[in-house]
């Protein structure tokens, strides 16, 4: 695989996630230009300039700039990352954000279709599996080029909880979650290991059950602590993992939410599944074997996303 790098990455939304992600992307030095867009005048420009001024110290060459003009921010981008929208407050589910965030991403998707017709689009705005479906429809892009973040973040949380329980470095914990980015996500114990040693041989069932439950509520735990917004350090790290696999054409096997076309028995729905991710989007979905319990949990996950899709279809947008 060649390390190609990108000419331009547009990050839409300069809030907690967008700003932190732009910083991580700039520091990774994988694009000639990172453009941060927001509707709040001064916010993307201020954050971009602040990030740019760290370049002499940190030694990256990426040009970072902010913009409040969507058309020029998106134009000619190789990768567009949608982070604009409302974040959860305590007591809210991701589904509560549905209508408002769909209105916000609609305009962005239409602009991408017009100004960046060859871009790969990463969707972050919640409820992410539903927003991704909406963006796919609105852009009319092939399914390979719409990738949503949900599995990479939930997997990071899952891996950390396993590492913490075992007292090992999180680097050695391999594992992932499947399904939706919500309470019905599926942390997959049957494929989780510490450098190849199955986690089911290292931790007792009750501890594993507690880790699965904590992973499912991982986002909510942070919302409850922060009280005024939702998580952004681990999310932006997980988004960087995906963006690097695209920018460097790494072909990493990651759990990301993509449109299924019969894989795992599901059609016309975005769910996180193991994909191979490269410069032009995903090249393969790997249909791995699951236990009966994991399989029925994945079905519950799909049902939750379908219900939100039905709700969205009834909303005037
Ligand atoms: N166009 C561009 N930016 C917008 C628009 C719009 N139409 N509407 C809102 N925004 C911007 C806001 O001005 C704000 O800067 O989106 C940003 C959202 O930032 P935060 O409130 O800090 O939210 P954040 O934590 O970044 O989460 C953004 O990602 O994970 C999801 O659930 C989360 O949907 C939320 C999104």
């Amino acid at each position: 695989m060649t390390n190609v790098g990108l000419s331009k990455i547009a990050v839409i939304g300069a809030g907690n996630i967008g700003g932190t992600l732009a910083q991580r992307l700039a520091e990774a030095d994988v694009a000639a230009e990172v453009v941060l867009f927001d509707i709040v005048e001064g916010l993307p420009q201020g954050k971009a300039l602040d990030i740019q001024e760290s370049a002499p110290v940190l030694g990256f060459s990426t040009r970072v700039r902010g913009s409040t003009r969507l058309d020029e921010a998106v134009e000619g981008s190789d990768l567009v990352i949608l982070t604009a929208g409302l974040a959860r407050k305590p007591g809210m589910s991701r589904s509560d954000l549905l209508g408002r965030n769909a209105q916000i991403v609609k305009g962005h998707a239409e602009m991408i279709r017009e100004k960046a017709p060859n871009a790969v689009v990463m969707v972050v705005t919640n409820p992410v599996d539903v927003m991704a479906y909406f963006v796919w429809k609105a852009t009319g892009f092939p399914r390979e080029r719409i990738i949503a973040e949900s599995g990479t973040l939930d997997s990071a949380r899952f891996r950390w909880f396993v590492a913490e329980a075992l007292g090992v470095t999180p680097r050695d914990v391999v594992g992932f979650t499947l399904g939706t980015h919500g309470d019905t996500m599926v942390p997959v114990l049957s494929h989780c290991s510490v450098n190849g040693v199955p986690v089911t041989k290292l931790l007792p069932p009750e501890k594993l059950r507690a880790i699965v439950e904590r992973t499912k509520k991982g986002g909510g735990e942070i919302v409850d602590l922060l009280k005024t917004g939702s998580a952004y350090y681990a999310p932006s790290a997980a988004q960087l993992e995906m963006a690097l696999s695209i920018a460097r054409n790494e072909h990493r096997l990651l759990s990301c939410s993509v449109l299924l076309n019969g894989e795992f028995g599901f059609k016309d729905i975005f769910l996180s599944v193991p994909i191979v991710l490269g410069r032009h989007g995903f090249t393969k979905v790997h249909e791995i074997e699951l236990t009966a319990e994991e399989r029925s949990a994945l079905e519950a996950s799909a049902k939750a996303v379908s219900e939100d899709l039905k709700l969205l279809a009834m909303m005037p947008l």
Side-chain angles (χ1 to χ4, degrees), residues 15-17 37-40 43 83-87 101 104 108 124 126:
N16 283 334
I17 289 196
F37 167 81
D38 203 285
I39 45 168
V40 179
L43 180 71
T83 82
L86 305 183
N101 282 353
I104 291 172
H108 301 155
V124 171
N126 271 316

Side-chain angles (χ1 to χ4, degrees), residues 95 129-130 178-187 213 216 264-266 269-272 290-310:
S95 302
D129 307 289
V130 184
L178 300 180
T180 185
H181 186 46
D183 296 350
T184 55
M185 74 179 68
V186 189
E213 284 315 304
K216 288 182 183 178
F264 291 90
F266 302 108
I269 189 168
F270 273 75
L271 290 174
S272 277
L290 298 173
T291 65
E293 197 182 337
E294 289 161 352
R295 172 75 220 169
S296 73
L298 189 59
E299 272 157 24
S301 212
K303 191 161 174 275
V305 178
S306 303
E307 278 162 14
D308 276 351
L309 280 171
K310 278 188 212 138

